Amino acid sequence: MKDTFYITTAIDYANDKPHIGHAYEKVLTDVIARFQKARGKDVFFLTGTDEHGEKVFKAAKKKGEDPQKFVDDLSERFRNLCTILSVENDDFIRTTHSRHEEANKKIVKAMHEKGDIYKGEYEGWYCVPCESYWTDKQLDEGKCPECNREVEKKKEEGYFFRLSKYEEDLLELYDQKPDFVFPESRKKELLNRIEDGLRDLCITRSAFEWGVPFPIDDDYTTYVWVDALSNYITALGYPEGDKFNKYWPANVHMIGKDITWFHAVIWPAMLMSLGVDLPETVCAHGFLNLGGEKMSKSKGNVLDPFELVEAYGTDALRYSLLSGGSIGEDSDFSEELLVKKLNNELADNLGNFVHRTLSFLNSNFGGGIPEREEFTESDEELVEETRRTVDEAGKDLEELSLNTALEKVMALSKKGNQYLNANEPWKNEGRAPNVLNVCGNLCKNISIILFPFLPDCAEKIWEQLGIDESIRSKEWGDAKDFELSDHEIGEPEPLFKKRDIQTRKKEEPNMIEFRDFQKLDLRAAKVKNVEEVEGADKLFKISLDVGSLGERTVAAGLKPYLDKEDLKGKTVAYLANLEPKEMYGMKSEGMVLAGEKNGTVKLVECDIEPGARIH
Ligand code: MSP
């Protein structure tokens, strides 16, 4: 078995901003990548954007933008999507980049040299949104059988790929490698479609400039799917790159069910033509439906992952996406569902267990996990169950059963809560050390299996548990078997805040509620003294007279803009109830307010008695 693991997502069309379906696919893939890393594999995780083709070109034109600029902007958004989702991809491929274009040309040339590309005439129906060709027979009442939209009649000379030549080999592949297409139901659909016979595929577009130039004939560009599919090897530096030799063949191509045909028929046929090994598994995940309906712009039910992360955080979004159901099936998603899961499952179950445990350790054991004494049967039972669960969740993850693994994490934390309730360490001093040893270690083990799913949350648990790199970097199994005993923990803090969907809906962007403004304690303060701060280029240490609040000291980044002498004696606006912060050996208590325009900075002065409130 190779010790590398190569996993990819589909590359997203740069024709519109990312939606929740894109987020779903990236998160699914990230879970598997993180899990394989935790298992000790050398993982390479690729994602990116698909930037050519008629669909993208038309979208740019509609906006009156230059296509390259248009895709540059959108590609950046997809890259940001990975960041806000804590998706840890190793590379981001763009099909308009020369590293891809040049390698793609080599691929087409190699297929041509193999005798698999010929010139002919094409007549058929083209669906722009799917960038797919269809025959009369395949149309569904005259519309695209995939998305049910209008199709265009096309008749043109072009170049063809001998897909039909690979029909037998493909059928043999499905037969010999039962895991090639996952889940099974998708494979059946393919077989039904192949039954009608595979037709050669037109792989060029004439007189259409937004694409990779077709390397055999300047009058054409390469069909966008032949361009896009090749990203999985161009990103690795095919044909000669070290990464290609190291990581290919891919272990998993994660894609949505709508593009299974391209990945499980056209792509392996292209690879067969190139004489390159085939990927292990094409995993076709189901679609996210919104409130029971297909997501579509016209229905106005497209959810924006950026807004959801901003409102509820990355963990809540990842959790709600991942707990929807089995990967191969469609699952329902809505903001209401997200909030319900955040409140009932993350906050009430997981957050509650971890916080109860750590707070109890903090207040009763001086912030440490006690050494264990003789375990009772119920202690042993939970410890055993935890071990078993870590192993079983690992098996689920190997088998791409992400949701059942996640259910197991949540079930463990529920067990932890029940165990605490049953053993009542707050009443039973004799039992307390063992119970807290078990629960502290349970928090650690939960965080290990949680990490691929909710990496930010797991890291918070590690922080609060006081687990350092040496334990964090242990492999999945070793970390589980490592026991925390007589171990000092960090500062406990709630992991999740409960949320109310209505509040977000009422909120206008950049608006705060009046009661939030009222929380600010703004005061007039007189500058008594200004000093430099050793080791800090930009800071002044300012002593303030804040009337009845007494004397305060703040560190302010004003040194590049103002002279010490200009500040002394002025009465300025001062925020008095900002959490104090240690900086450069001093305690900064609050903030003086200043305004800036074109690099000129002035303090907000006021002619009010020091200490008076500013309303
Ligand atoms: N550009 C092609 C893929 C080329 S891969 C060589 C494409 N792009 S896409 O932007 O339309 O879709 C990107 C991925 O998101 C696909 O795997 C697609 O199935 C997935 N999803 C699109 N809508 C989705 C949902 N509503 N739910 C879940 N996944 C969805 O296809």
Side-chain angles (χ1 to χ4, degrees):
M1 219 164 60
K2 66 178 185 142
D3 60 359
T4 57
F5 191 90
Y6 181 34
I7 186 162
T8 64
T9 68
I11 49 173
D12 305 312
Y13 282 127
N15 68 322
D16 205 347
K17 59 184 190 175
H19 58 61
I20 197 75
H22 298 122
Y24 179 52
E25 184 169 303
K26 294 199 193 302
V27 169
L28 288 173
T29 314
D30 189 55
V31 174
I32 300 168
R34 285 178 184 274
F35 165 68
Q36 291 294 343
K37 255 186 235 171
R39 273 272 157 107
K41 291 268 166 106
D42 176 349
V43 173
F44 196 79
F45 170 7
L46 176 72
T47 187
T49 37
D50 186 355
E51 306 183 4
H52 288 131
E54 196 166 339
K55 175 178 171 126
V56 171
F57 186 73
K58 280 188 168 163
K61 263 183 98 179
K62 200 168 156 195
K63 277 210 147 181
E65 282 188 29
D66 164 59
Q68 189 62 55
K69 169 155 188 325
F70 180 74
V71 296
D72 285 349
D73 290 348
L74 282 165
S75 179
E76 193 54 33
R77 293 201 195 205
F78 281 97
R79 203 188 270 271
N80 291 341
L81 177 67
C82 296
T83 310
I84 62 148
L85 292 171
S86 295
V87 160
E88 209 175 46
N89 50 304
D90 297 287
D91 196 359
F92 191 97
I93 182 92
R94 296 185 54 187
T95 55
T96 58
H97 275 178
S98 65
R99 69 163 167 149
H100 168 78
E101 291 195 2
E102 293 316 309
N104 177 261
K105 285 181 198 162
K106 286 184 192 158
I107 287 166
V108 172
K109 272 191 197 151
M111 288 161 66
H112 186 238
E113 274 156 25
K114 177 84 181 282
D116 283 347
I117 291 178
Y118 64 94
K119 198 166 187 185
E121 181 160 281
Y122 172 77
E123 186 172 359
W125 299 98
Y126 197 68
C127 171
V128 176
C130 295
E131 299 276 16
S132 296
Y133 300 100
W134 303 104
T135 60
D136 278 324
K137 198 174 154 209
Q138 286 171 323
L139 292 186
D140 182 2
E141 295 180 358
K143 298 211 171 134
C144 169
E146 186 61 57
C147 71
N148 213 26
R149 277 181 275 212
E150 298 296 332
V151 286
E152 294 169 22
K153 184 94 178 174
K154 294 235 167 159
K155 181 176 177 181
E156 56 188 8
E157 269 210 319
Y159 287 83
F160 285 76
F161 169 50
R162 292 188 199 280
L163 186 59
S164 58
K165 175 176 157 188
Y166 293 99
E167 184 171 326
E168 283 306 310
D169 292 336
L170 286 167
L171 291 172
E172 198 183 314
L173 163 72
Y174 308 139
D175 191 47
Q176 307 271 302
K177 282 179 74 179
D179 292 338
F180 182 71
V181 184
F182 179 86
E184 190 67 27
S185 53
R186 296 282 159 241
K187 186 156 73 191
K188 289 201 182 113
E189 285 171 7
L190 292 184
L191 290 174
N192 282 343
R193 197 166 149 189
I194 295 176
E195 236 173 40
D196 294 342
L198 274 182
R199 297 171 67 238
D200 291 346
L201 178 73
C202 181
I203 57 163
T204 49
R205 305 296 313 277
S206 62
F208 183 71
E209 305 219 325
W210 192 241
V212 181
F214 192 62
I216 300 152
D217 186 333
D218 295 345
D219 289 341
Y220 294 88
T221 53
T222 301
Y223 172 44
V224 64
W225 270 103
V226 169
D227 165 1
L229 286 163
S230 72
N231 90 88
Y232 302 126
I233 55 176
T234 64
L236 297 181
Y238 174 85
E240 59 273 306
D242 289 347
K243 283 201 196 115
F244 179 69
N245 294 330
K246 183 171 177 191
Y247 293 108
W248 190 260
N251 295 74
V252 178
H253 285 317
M254 181 65 72
I255 55 156
K257 63 176 186 179
D258 57 327
I259 53 175
T260 314
W261 179 261
F262 299 96
H263 284 80
V265 177
I266 298 175
W267 179 228
M270 282 171 67
L271 291 167
M272 286 171 185
S273 170
L274 293 171
V276 165
D277 287 344
L278 304 184
E280 250 172 50
T281 297
V282 171
C283 175
H285 62 76
F287 262 39
L288 284 187
N289 291 328
L290 291 187
E293 286 195 67
K294 212 173 156 184
M295 184 166 65
S296 91
K297 262 198 198 165
S298 54
K299 285 193 190 119
N301 64 353
V302 180
L303 275 182
D304 180 342
F306 290 90
E307 281 180 21
L308 294 175
V309 166
E310 200 184 329
Y312 306 109
T314 304
D315 287 328
L317 179 57
R318 284 180 70 118
Y319 181 77
S320 56
L321 289 172
L322 291 165
S323 56
S326 138
I327 197 166
E329 308 290 326
D330 290 354
S331 50
D332 234 336
F333 187 83
S334 66
E335 190 171 339
E336 284 78 2
L337 216 56
L338 180 157
V339 172
K340 212 161 129 191
K341 288 180 177 184
L342 165 63
N343 293 343
N344 300 350
E345 297 172 31
L346 290 178
D348 278 350
N349 173 7
L350 178 66
N352 190 24
F353 172 63
V354 173
H355 197 56
R356 284 172 88 187
T357 301
L358 297 185
S359 305
F360 196 82
L361 285 170
N362 211 29
S363 51
N364 293 273
F365 288 92
I369 296 180
E371 274 182 62
R372 57 137 106 178
E373 292 161 9
E374 185 93 3
F375 271 174
T376 65
E377 213 172 291
S378 87
D379 304 336
E380 286 294 359
E381 235 171 63
L382 186 54
V383 170
E384 242 337 283
E385 175 147 8
T386 310
R387 290 232 170 88
R388 222 177 24 245
T389 307
V390 178
D391 289 340
E392 283 172 7
K395 222 188 269 154
D396 287 350
L397 282 165
E398 288 290 358
E399 290 166 4
L400 306 179
S401 186
L402 276 50
N403 63 316
T404 56
L406 184 54
E407 274 164 24
K408 288 180 176 137
V409 186
M410 300 308 283
L412 257 192
S413 111
K414 195 168 166 192
K415 286 256 160 66
N417 274 319
Q418 287 165 349
Y419 170 83
L420 270 177
N421 293 346
N423 287 284
E424 300 183 311
W426 46 90
K427 279 195 196 157
N428 191 341
E429 234 176 83
R431 287 281 292 133
N434 266 1
V435 172
L436 269 299
N437 176 292
V438 170
C439 288
N441 278 290
L442 183 51
C443 287
K444 171 191 63 92
N445 287 327
I446 284 176
S447 70
I448 295 169
I449 9 179
L450 188 66
F451 178 70
F453 298 98
L454 308 186
D456 298 356
C457 175
E459 283 187 6
K460 276 187 211 153
I461 301 179
W462 292 341
E463 204 63 45
Q464 297 185 25
L465 265 179
I467 292 184
D468 63 19
E469 272 307 308
S470 65
I471 303 173
R472 291 180 195 192
S473 57
K474 277 187 197 297
E475 281 183 25
W476 180 277
D478 298 343
K480 168 199 70 171
D481 294 330
F482 182 87
E483 195 184 310
L484 300 171
S485 178
D486 193 16
H487 164 88
E488 199 177 318
I489 65 162
E491 196 58 36
E493 255 179 62
L495 293 171
F496 301 101
K497 224 162 92 194
K498 285 198 184 187
R499 288 299 310 263
D500 169 7
I501 186 167
Q502 298 311 332
T503 346
R504 178 178 108 78
K505 294 219 158 140
K506 268 193 275 153
E507 282 164 12
E508 289 288 326
N510 297 324
M511 293 286 173
I512 60 164
E513 289 187 30
F514 182 63
R515 60 188 171 145
D516 288 330
F517 174 73
Q518 278 182 313
K519 289 182 196 156
L520 303 179
D521 184 7
L522 286 168
R523 306 277 182 144
K526 188 162 180 183
V527 178
K528 302 289 283 180
N529 194 26
V530 184
E531 291 170 61
E532 311 222 332
V533 180
E534 209 182 294
D537 295 344
K538 298 187 178 149
L539 293 184
F540 277 145
K541 177 180 177 182
I542 304 179
S543 308
L544 299 165
D545 166 12
V546 200
S548 58
L549 295 187
E551 190 146 315
R552 296 280 181 94
T553 311
V554 297
L558 296 170
K559 199 170 152 192
Y561 311 103
L562 297 168
D563 281 340
K564 273 197 254 178
E565 294 310 313
D566 291 344
L567 295 170
K568 279 187 197 159
K570 286 195 169 142
T571 302
V572 298
Y574 164 67
L575 177 62
N577 62 341
L578 190 68
E579 212 176 350
K581 203 173 164 193
E582 284 294 330
M583 295 165 87
Y584 292 92
M586 64 172 283
K587 189 169 164 200
S588 181
E589 308 161 287
M591 189 189 262
V592 287
L593 304 189
E596 186 264 351
K597 192 165 185 206
N598 301 333
T600 303
V601 174
K602 288 188 177 160
L603 287 176
V604 178
E605 287 185 62
C606 47
D607 185 13
I608 320 176
E609 244 343 78
R613 280 197 81 137
I614 300 173
H615 294 282

